[in-house]
Amino acid sequence: MEILKVSSKSNPNKVAGAIVGSLKKNGKVEIQAIGAGAVNQASKALAIARRFLEQEKLDLYAVPAFIEIQIGNETRTGISFKVYMK
């Protein structure tokens, strides 16, 4: 499964395009975000991706979960959205 890492500075429209592209290619994608700003951008990207897919009579669904990611010597908690075509 392809993993897209989203930051608070990520452009939601570009992330949405990457989500749609990956879903069309693989049928699934994982989005990872650490921090409130990154989760906000990821959520917006999911909504935009859904709008893109609506035009083609397609839909997606996302399954959120907590994840722990090692960054340097630190373990950070984040959110993962596993996204699938409906």
Side-chain angles (χ1 to χ4, degrees):
M1 182 179 300
E2 184 177 358
I3 297 174
L4 302 176
K5 296 185 180 198
V6 176
S7 78
S8 61
K9 296 176 183 166
S10 295
N11 180 327
N13 287 305
K14 289 184 179 180
V15 175
I19 291 169
V20 170
S22 187
L23 285 175
K24 286 183 175 180
K25 183 179 176 188
N26 305 313
K28 58 187 174 183
V29 65
E30 181 176 349
I31 303 167
Q32 294 180 348
I34 298 173
V39 172
N40 181 48
Q41 296 302 79
S43 298
K44 285 192 245 180
L46 283 168
I48 295 166
R50 190 159 184 242
R51 190 179 305 159
F52 288 164
L53 289 170
E54 259 178 10
Q55 296 170 0
E56 300 177 38
K57 306 281 191 248
L58 299 171
D59 203 358
L60 61 79
Y61 69 96
V63 180
F66 288 106
I67 55 170
E68 290 192 358
I69 299 174
Q70 191 73 26
I71 299 175
N73 294 331
E74 213 177 2
T75 300
R76 304 280 307 269
T77 300
I79 298 286
S80 164
F81 295 96
K82 291 192 178 171
V83 186
Y84 303 91
M85 290 289 278
K86 202 169 189 181

